[in-house]
Amino acid sequence: MSQLVKDLGEKALLERLQQFCLPEVVGDDAAVIATQPGKSLVVTTDMLVDGVHFSDRTTSAEDAGWRAAAANLSDLAAMGASPLGITIALGIPGDTSITWIEQLYQGITQCLQKFATAVIGGDVCRSSVKTIAITAFGEVHSEYTIRRSTAQVGDAIVVTGVHGASRAGLELLLQPESRQKLSSSAQKKLIQAHQRPQPRLDVLPVLWEVICQTANTNAHIHVAGMDSSDGLADAVLQICQMSQVGARVERSFIPLPDELKNWSFQQALDWALYGGEDFELVLCLPPDLAQVLVERLGNGAAIVGEITDDSEVYLVDYTGKNPDEVLSFKRGFQHF
Amino acid sequence: MSQLVKDLGEKALLERLQQFCLPEVVGDDAAVIATQPGKSLVVTTDMLVDGVHFSDRTTSAEDAGWRAAAANLSDLAAMGASPLGITIALGIPGDTSITWIEQLYQGITQCLQKFATAVIGGDVCRSSVKTIAITAFGEVHSEYTIRRSTAQVGDAIVVTGVHGASRAGLELLLQPESRQKLSSSAQKKLIQAHQRPQPRLDVLPVLWEVICQTANTNAHIHVAGMDSSDGLADAVLQICQMSQVGARVERSFIPLPDELKNWSFQQALDWALYGGEDFELVLCLPPDLAQVLVERLGNGAAIVGEITDDSEVYLVDYTGKNPDEVLSFKRGFQHF
């Protein structure tokens, strides 16, 4: 009998399928193909399924649309690319209301408009389950492509903003009694973080400016990185695995939203590391550039650790109160 | 109560959704965005759902993969574009066999390899129904972009090969008793046409060569066209609607596969006009160029009619035996 997907698991399945892909495009947030001298096309695709990735119980059609668009734009940002447009393929049951579909598209286009891009094509077909497949493409100056595989020992690890807010917002939606801890404005902020995440395309021009103004050698600066859509821990682990390096992440340096002070530090840290969907960028670059970058970005941007020649990623505590902890993919999200 | 998709129908739904798209990309086989002077990126997307577009009952996973890839490459060919790559988003139930998935990818990559392109990215997620969303992108010299909207009165209508073979192949699969009419090699050829359709990317270099060598003015030649994936009638109707012209299609000029002689002419003509999935190109260009093009292409390529200033598309019979017939979208395929 043939092996089943649920027995193999997602990671192993993706590894099997890589044999069918161009080897040079495997392993990043998006695929990169050179189109003209000095420029590359960046392409990323995502499929979202009703009941798996969104549900009318917790997410309005408009929010589902926004988040789908945001996730794809975040993948482009994670590669250093500016968006050119997206396509939407939509599978829907015949008894879907037109209002639902229009609200979905409204959410998608609201997000795209904020980042000056647009829907440029699509397909609609019948399906027994609502399914949204988005493909986003962008353009990057080839030498500015951000990859997971180029982190170097000694690089500082920068996060472009606070982590854990999206997961906390989900908690407020799923467990309404947890809202009592918070003012209504704090509730709104966290729920907003979950429902209307902001892809960090705004980071890119700041990053390139910092590199051009600050880099004091002619040596080319490779910025390594990805987005934290599957959690901060996953992002650091992925980068280290692809770059064949280790890392030390200082627990007290991880920027948490002020609103999370009403939960235990351990809970907040857990959401920051494993909650996912914060859509910040996790970038590895030389410490002097990293310092300038976090100052320019503000709003929670921080250096959270450094790339090492270890074989592991450690969560450390400079006060010595907590022993070093080895981070692993095991706590991450598996789709099957 | 909100209106439902099944009440509105596909065409009206697509019209509603166009308000969310860039207006300049609506109405062709694929979207076109200018990337650098003189070149454009062409993007097309398709979603296929188990039980709607393919089924293990009639289609192996490998054939489903081939056809999905071929349909997308055909959309690129229909725009005049050479493929750069495709992405695949796959939704699958946990009890899907790994063999099925690998065979699907095998079919996809076999087709891509034949046309010198590759899978450059993807996503895999859990779904209650097997769903394949493919996005293909290609590149075209902007002035060679083939659009539906540029057909001109007096243009000849060229089809690049025979029509009806794919639908006849489906008939042999669904009604095995119909196979008795045919030799085994004829059966194989028709079934092959259905299971392994060939996108006509090979037409493009021939077309550009004919234009460059034959066009005897400096005026730029606009080739209008699309593919015949939804049937030859649909293709001519779409082109005429977008170009605001009419057409006369001569029934005896429509090239039919030799194997269809064992069915009535009316049946064969019906499959050619409405069967779909032949993935030939339907091109409108000046008669002198059209004549050279069909001679160079051979293999069933033919001039089937001409663009007129009528408001309708007529199917005509030069022998006078059959009265003129007005073709309409009503007989075409509606997904809801």
Side-chain angles (χ1 to χ4, degrees):
Chain A
M1 221 192 86
S2 169
Q3 205 173 8
L4 302 183
V5 171
K6 62 185 173 190
D7 303 326
L8 193 61
E10 188 187 9
K11 251 194 164 0
L13 173 60
L14 288 175
E15 277 162 27
R16 288 266 196 114
L17 294 181
Q18 286 176 4
Q19 64 176 296
F20 299 103
C21 296
L22 274 190
E24 62 266 33
V25 300
V26 167
D28 270 302
D29 291 87
V32 180
I33 39 180
T35 47
Q36 50 172 309
K39 285 215 173 179
S40 296
L41 179 67
V42 175
V43 186
T44 177
T45 193
D46 262 320
M47 184 178 279
L48 304 175
V49 178
D50 190 8
V52 180
H53 303 92
F54 62 92
S55 149
D56 284 341
R57 206 170 50 88
T58 55
T59 321
S60 72
E62 222 173 276
D63 288 336
W66 176 289
R67 287 175 62 203
N72 278 277
L73 294 185
S74 181
D75 280 336
L76 294 182
M79 303 297 294
S82 302
L84 292 171
I86 73 162
T87 61
I88 307 169
L90 188 64
I92 33 175
D95 62 358
T96 306
S97 84
I98 300 298
T99 306
W100 187 91
I101 299 173
E102 291 191 324
Q103 286 173 347
L104 175 80
Y105 271 73
Q106 241 138 32
I108 291 172
T109 49
Q110 277 166 20
C111 180
L112 296 182
Q113 275 163 15
K114 178 155 182 190
F115 297 96
T117 189
V119 179
I120 66 154
D123 185 27
V124 174
C125 72
R126 184 157 58 85
S127 175
S128 55
V129 55
K130 286 178 197 152
T131 306
I132 311 161
I134 291 187
T135 303
F137 28 91
E139 204 171 33
V140 65
H141 284 281
S142 305
E143 59 178 324
Y144 287 163
T145 310
I146 300 173
R147 294 184 179 274
R148 299 183 187 177
S149 56
T150 57
Q152 293 186 19
V153 175
D155 277 353
I157 303 170
V158 168
V159 297
T160 55
V162 297
H163 278 75
S166 174
R167 180 61 186 81
L170 178 62
E171 191 75 6
L172 298 182
L173 291 168
L174 294 177
Q175 316 281 353
E177 68 280 8
S178 64
R179 295 183 197 176
Q180 295 163 1
K181 301 181 178 190
L182 296 169
S183 70
S184 68
S185 74
Q187 288 175 32
K188 203 178 151 188
K189 201 170 156 193
L190 293 178
I191 289 174
Q192 190 80 356
H194 181 71
Q195 291 178 333
R196 299 279 164 145
Q198 305 288 324
R200 297 304 307 270
L201 287 160
D202 61 301
V203 166
L204 302 178
V206 182
L207 175 63
W208 309 142
E209 203 184 293
V210 167
I211 289 177
C212 291
Q213 292 176 350
T214 317
N216 50 14
T217 68
N218 287 322
H220 180 62
I221 306 292
H222 284 290
V223 178
M226 64 177 283
D227 74 358
S228 58
S229 54
D230 289 333
L232 175 53
D234 177 81
V236 177
L237 284 161
Q238 297 273 7
I239 293 167
C240 287
Q241 188 182 56
M242 294 291 293
S243 300
Q244 298 183 286
V245 293
R248 292 171 72 80
V249 175
E250 170 56 49
R251 45 198 288 149
S252 64
F253 293 176
I254 296 172
L256 304 172
D258 289 340
E259 293 76 14
L260 262 60
K261 289 195 176 127
N262 293 308
W263 279 275
S264 72
F265 176 74
Q266 193 54 48
Q267 176 66 87
L269 185 66
D270 209 65
W271 285 346
L273 286 170
Y274 303 107
E277 308 229 347
D278 287 307
F279 294 117
E280 295 293 336
L281 300 183
V282 180
L283 303 170
C284 303
L285 65 171
D288 53 336
L289 297 186
Q291 192 56 46
V292 180
L293 179 63
V294 301
E295 282 162 16
R296 291 269 178 93
L297 290 175
N299 288 317
I303 295 175
V304 298
E306 61 172 333
I307 298 296
T308 67
D309 59 3
D310 288 327
S311 57
E312 303 284 1
V313 175
Y314 294 98
L315 184 68
V316 303
D317 180 354
Y318 76 98
T319 67
K321 270 193 225 156
N322 294 281
D324 291 359
E325 188 184 327
V326 174
L327 297 181
S328 85
F329 285 116
K330 289 207 187 84
R331 293 213 35 199
F333 185 66
Q334 283 262 340
H335 292 89
F336 294 100
Chain B
M1 220 192 88
S2 169
Q3 205 173 11
L4 303 183
V5 169
K6 61 185 174 190
D7 304 325
L8 192 62
E10 188 187 9
K11 250 192 163 4
L13 173 60
L14 288 176
E15 276 162 26
R16 289 265 197 116
L17 294 180
Q18 285 176 6
Q19 63 176 295
F20 300 104
C21 296
L22 273 189
E24 62 265 34
V25 301
V26 167
D28 268 304
D29 291 86
V32 180
I33 38 179
T35 47
Q36 49 173 309
K39 283 213 173 180
S40 297
L41 179 66
V42 176
V43 186
T44 177
T45 193
D46 262 320
M47 184 178 279
L48 304 175
V49 177
D50 189 8
V52 180
H53 304 92
F54 61 93
S55 147
D56 284 343
R57 204 169 52 89
T58 55
T59 322
S60 72
E62 223 173 274
D63 288 336
W66 176 288
R67 285 175 62 203
N72 277 278
L73 294 185
S74 181
D75 281 336
L76 294 182
M79 303 296 294
S82 302
L84 292 169
I86 73 162
T87 60
I88 307 168
L90 188 65
I92 32 174
D95 63 358
T96 306
S97 84
I98 300 297
T99 307
W100 188 91
I101 299 172
E102 292 191 323
Q103 286 174 347
L104 176 79
Y105 272 73
Q106 242 138 33
I108 291 171
T109 48
Q110 276 166 21
C111 180
L112 295 182
Q113 275 162 16
K114 176 153 186 195
F115 298 95
T117 188
V119 179
I120 66 153
D123 186 27
V124 174
C125 72
R126 184 157 58 85
S127 175
S128 55
V129 55
K130 285 178 197 154
T131 307
I132 311 162
I134 291 187
T135 303
F137 26 92
E139 206 170 33
V140 64
H141 285 281
S142 305
E143 61 179 321
Y144 286 164
T145 309
I146 300 172
R147 294 185 179 274
R148 298 182 187 178
S149 57
T150 58
Q152 294 184 18
V153 175
D155 278 352
I157 303 170
V158 168
V159 297
T160 55
V162 298
H163 279 75
S166 174
R167 180 61 187 80
L170 178 63
E171 191 75 4
L172 298 182
L173 291 168
L174 294 177
Q175 316 280 356
E177 69 280 9
S178 64
R179 295 183 197 175
Q180 294 162 1
K181 301 181 176 190
L182 296 169
S183 70
S184 68
S185 73
Q187 289 175 32
K188 203 177 150 190
K189 201 169 156 194
L190 293 178
I191 290 174
Q192 190 80 356
H194 181 71
Q195 292 177 333
R196 299 279 163 145
Q198 306 288 323
R200 296 305 305 270
L201 287 161
D202 60 301
V203 167
L204 302 179
V206 182
L207 175 63
W208 310 142
E209 204 185 291
V210 167
I211 289 177
C212 292
Q213 292 177 351
T214 317
N216 50 15
T217 69
N218 287 321
H220 181 61
I221 306 292
H222 285 289
V223 178
M226 62 176 287
D227 73 359
S228 59
S229 53
D230 290 331
L232 175 54
D234 177 82
V236 177
L237 284 162
Q238 296 273 6
I239 292 167
C240 287
Q241 188 180 56
M242 294 291 294
S243 300
Q244 300 183 283
V245 293
R248 292 173 70 81
V249 175
E250 170 55 50
R251 45 198 289 148
S252 64
F253 292 176
I254 296 172
L256 304 172
D258 289 341
E259 294 77 12
L260 262 59
K261 292 196 173 125
N262 294 308
W263 279 275
S264 73
F265 176 75
Q266 193 54 47
Q267 176 66 85
L269 184 67
D270 209 64
W271 286 345
L273 286 170
Y274 303 106
E277 308 230 347
D278 286 308
F279 295 116
E280 295 293 337
L281 300 183
V282 180
L283 303 171
C284 302
L285 65 172
D288 54 335
L289 298 185
Q291 192 55 47
V292 181
L293 179 63
V294 301
E295 281 163 17
R296 290 268 178 93
L297 289 175
N299 289 315
I303 294 175
V304 298
E306 61 173 334
I307 298 295
T308 67
D309 58 4
D310 289 326
S311 57
E312 304 283 0
V313 175
Y314 295 98
L315 184 68
V316 303
D317 181 353
Y318 77 97
T319 67
K321 269 193 228 158
N322 295 281
D324 290 0
E325 186 184 330
V326 175
L327 297 181
S328 85
F329 285 117
K330 289 207 188 84
R331 294 214 34 199
F333 185 66
Q334 282 261 343
H335 292 88
F336 293 101

